[in-house]
Amino acid sequence: MPGQVVRFPETEGFKIPHMGWNSIEINPKSRLLKGIDNGAYVYFVHSYYLKAKDIEDVAATTDYIVNVHAAVEHNNIFATQFHPEKSGEVGLQILKNFISL
């Protein structure tokens, strides 16, 4: 999938790696995030983030220092920047969605 993986910029007041819960803004066209409320919280552990080349591939975003493409999907490729397995009920729904694709 075209894009760049970029390290978070050192910014006062923000820790890197980013570890913790952030809300996501979901693209309503997302198949992976179907049935999940906009603003749902998921768990992140990362020092780098994705900048997808094509905004149509972005399934969800979050804000941490910059706007992060938190999930992407293109045809049969699905990826998340966060950890569904550590994201409670929201993560379970994402895994169920993935299995049913």
Side-chain angles (χ1 to χ4, degrees):
M1 190 174 300
Q4 293 179 307
V5 176
V6 182
R7 184 169 169 75
F8 280 111
E10 297 288 335
T11 304
E12 189 173 330
F14 290 89
K15 293 182 181 182
I16 300 170
H18 169 223
M19 298 174 75
W21 297 87
N22 267 63
S23 63
I24 54 174
E25 294 299 315
I26 298 170
N27 179 336
K29 297 178 186 175
S30 173
R31 296 180 290 153
L32 184 62
L33 304 173
K34 183 179 177 181
I36 297 171
D37 292 335
N38 215 20
Y41 281 80
V42 292
Y43 192 78
F44 290 84
V45 178
H46 58 147
S47 299
Y48 295 82
Y49 65 96
L50 170 67
K51 288 174 63 175
K53 184 175 181 179
D54 188 349
I55 196 69
E56 290 295 316
D57 293 336
V58 178
T61 61
T62 194
D63 287 312
Y64 189 79
I65 303 173
V66 297
N67 186 266
V68 175
H69 295 163
V72 291
E73 51 189 77
H74 181 84
N75 297 329
N76 66 342
I77 299 170
F78 301 87
T80 62
Q81 185 70 35
F82 54 87
H83 293 265
E85 76 283 2
K86 295 182 178 187
S87 297
E89 293 297 320
V90 171
L92 286 174
Q93 184 60 53
I94 293 168
L95 294 173
K96 286 177 187 176
N97 289 349
F98 181 73
I99 289 168
S100 69
L101 291 172

